[in-house]
Amino acid sequence: MAKTPAAHVQAGEREVRISSPDRVIYEATDRTPEVTKLMVAEFFASLGDPLMRALRERPTALERWPDGWREGMKLATGPTDKEGDGFYQKRTPKGAPDYLEEVEITFPSGRKAREICPTEIAVPVWCAQMGALTFHPWPVRRDDVDHPDELRIDLDPQPGTDFADAVRVAGVARETLEEHGLRGFVKTSGNRGVHIYVRIRPEWTFEDLRHAAIGFGRELERRDGGVTTAWWKEERGERIFVDFNQNNRDRTIASAYSLRPKPGAPVSTPLTWEELADLEDPRELNLFTVPDFLADGDRWAEIDDESYDLTPLLELWEELPGGELNFPPDYPKMPGEPPRVQPSKKVASHWDEEGNRIE
């Protein structure tokens, strides 16, 4: 069979070459046709400013699925995991075009890397050529990569809860933010969760940002019994988990208008609060429906209009009981962190402050 010739996609003022344009990236479902590599590239190109508003000037990791995504495929857990079908690309891929810009970032380990820093729509389109479906931008701009300008509230449904529960909690979060003088912008996660973003002044550290997220999460727990900030899954129950650790250095979540590796090519889609309250099934927002949805305008068009003071949420961190919580397992041991031991395993043993078992 003859190889399909490369296609070209107009992205702003550039033409981006797409090889294997007919490669199937998403198989057809009962609600959506199949999606090809060319269609993914054209989708990102069509988004223009709304997608760039989420990515512009931000260090951005890529979630790549070079052979497309299928049910049962797995995302590699790290650079040494050779079994994954998809993987995170944190460093700029080889062969990047000369218009692709970079920025140096520092990982929690202290190691540094050059990461993609999108400045024009041709960049995410080229990333589609490399098999990228999901963009993972840092909550910083490249002129100051150590001081976040964005708080991200990740509402993650646990087993026994669903999207409707996340929507309910998001409503409580909106009221809480407004009472503290902050404006949140909401989007679907592209799966069952809900993400709320708040632009902040870049005056605080990642540690401050994470503490603000913990304080805010605890306030949500106080207001709604269906919310938890418990880091250990065995303690979460059937509640919505506020994933505070997504505000750490080198912790990112899918950007607005990213595709997700799920059936039907769902899109992490910005909404008005009223639209979120009326949405029953986030799968309705996908590669085929979002372009028409955007015809009514980007719901996050005003997100950069004002940056807010993080102090009210840091005051919640100081005032509400609970203290420090655990960091992700790949992080170095952090000051004040509890032992990294599952609560159920503490019963029969004693542990020192480093999480080492004492016989």
Side-chain angles (χ1 to χ4, degrees):
M1 182 180 293
K3 184 177 181 180
T4 305
H8 291 83
V9 173
Q10 192 67 36
E13 298 180 356
R14 303 188 191 276
E15 232 183 26
V16 181
R17 182 179 183 274
I18 305 297
S19 63
S20 304
D22 57 352
R23 176 180 295 155
V24 175
I25 304 300
Y26 293 93
E27 295 179 320
T29 71
D30 58 358
R31 64 172 67 203
T32 55
E34 70 179 20
V35 175
T36 65
K37 184 178 178 182
L38 178 60
M39 293 167 70
V40 171
E42 290 175 334
F43 173 69
F44 289 149
S46 73
L47 292 170
D49 280 345
L51 177 57
M52 290 309 300
R53 190 171 289 115
L55 304 180
R56 187 176 286 113
E57 304 284 336
R58 297 188 183 279
T60 301
L62 308 178
E63 186 179 325
R64 294 175 58 188
W65 298 86
D67 297 322
W69 178 84
R70 304 286 185 275
E71 287 270 23
M73 283 187 168
K74 296 181 180 179
L75 189 64
T77 57
T80 61
D81 181 359
K82 305 303 182 185
E83 303 300 318
D85 304 284
F87 60 94
Y88 289 113
Q89 177 96 42
K90 293 189 177 183
R91 291 170 171 81
T92 304
K94 294 180 180 179
D98 57 9
Y99 57 80
L100 186 148
E101 300 185 29
E102 300 175 303
V103 60
E104 185 176 83
I105 48 87
T106 303
F107 297 121
S109 65
R111 291 181 297 109
K112 297 182 182 295
R114 304 289 296 179
E115 199 155 278
I116 288 175
C117 187
T119 56
E120 57 177 289
I121 194 62
V123 173
V125 175
W126 177 80
C127 293
Q129 154 64 16
M130 301 298 289
L133 299 180
T134 309
F135 302 100
H136 291 264
W138 284 44
V140 299
R141 307 281 185 175
R142 68 170 167 182
D143 58 352
D144 186 353
V145 295
D146 294 316
H147 294 91
D149 72 338
E150 192 168 72
L151 171 71
R152 297 169 176 178
I153 301 163
D154 181 2
L155 302 178
D156 184 9
Q158 300 302 290
T161 65
D162 56 20
F163 179 70
D165 295 303
V167 170
R168 184 197 76 250
V169 172
V172 180
R174 178 193 186 187
E175 295 174 359
T176 306
L177 287 170
E178 290 177 350
E179 288 175 19
H180 289 81
L182 305 169
R183 182 182 180 186
F185 289 78
V186 70
K187 67 183 181 73
T188 62
S189 69
N191 192 9
R192 300 192 310 139
V194 173
H195 298 157
I196 303 169
Y197 283 34
V198 180
R199 287 287 193 266
I200 61 171
R201 299 196 299 269
E203 299 172 2
W204 292 273
T205 65
F206 279 97
E207 291 75 18
D208 293 329
L209 188 72
R210 177 178 174 276
H211 284 160
I214 293 173
F216 183 76
R218 285 173 173 158
E219 178 63 13
L220 291 185
E221 283 181 301
R222 191 182 68 80
R223 297 180 181 218
D224 189 311
V227 178
T228 182
T229 57
W231 176 244
W232 298 101
K233 290 183 179 180
E234 64 186 43
E235 293 188 324
R236 293 177 189 171
E238 296 184 358
R239 292 178 287 185
I240 300 297
F241 173 51
V242 181
D243 193 350
F244 54 89
N245 272 330
Q246 295 289 29
N247 291 279
N248 273 316
R249 179 185 294 274
D250 193 34
R251 278 300 182 277
T252 56
I253 55 181
S255 77
Y257 301 109
S258 276
L259 289 162
R260 304 307 304 274
K262 296 288 180 182
V267 175
S268 182
T269 309
L271 303 169
T272 66
W273 287 100
E274 292 72 25
E275 288 169 337
L276 177 70
D278 291 339
L279 182 63
E280 295 183 358
D281 187 346
R283 294 177 298 175
E284 296 173 7
L285 298 166
N286 55 59
L287 178 143
F288 297 97
T289 62
V290 164
D292 287 341
F293 183 74
L294 261 176
D296 293 330
D298 179 18
R299 278 57 166 182
W300 282 16
E302 298 177 354
I303 195 170
D304 290 316
D305 288 359
E306 185 173 357
S307 297
Y308 294 91
D309 186 350
L310 196 61
T311 303
L313 303 190
L314 287 171
E315 290 175 349
L316 291 176
W317 155 255
E318 294 289 346
E319 295 167 1
L320 296 175
E324 188 57 276
L325 297 175
N326 286 110
F327 284 75
D330 59 329
Y331 254 62
K333 182 70 177 180
M334 302 298 284
E337 182 183 359
R340 295 183 184 178
V341 183
Q342 286 179 241
S344 59
K345 294 182 179 179
K346 290 181 181 178
V347 177
S349 303
H350 297 288
W351 305 82
D352 66 19
E353 62 181 14
E354 298 297 325
N356 300 310
R357 183 172 177 172
I358 302 172
E359 299 296 342

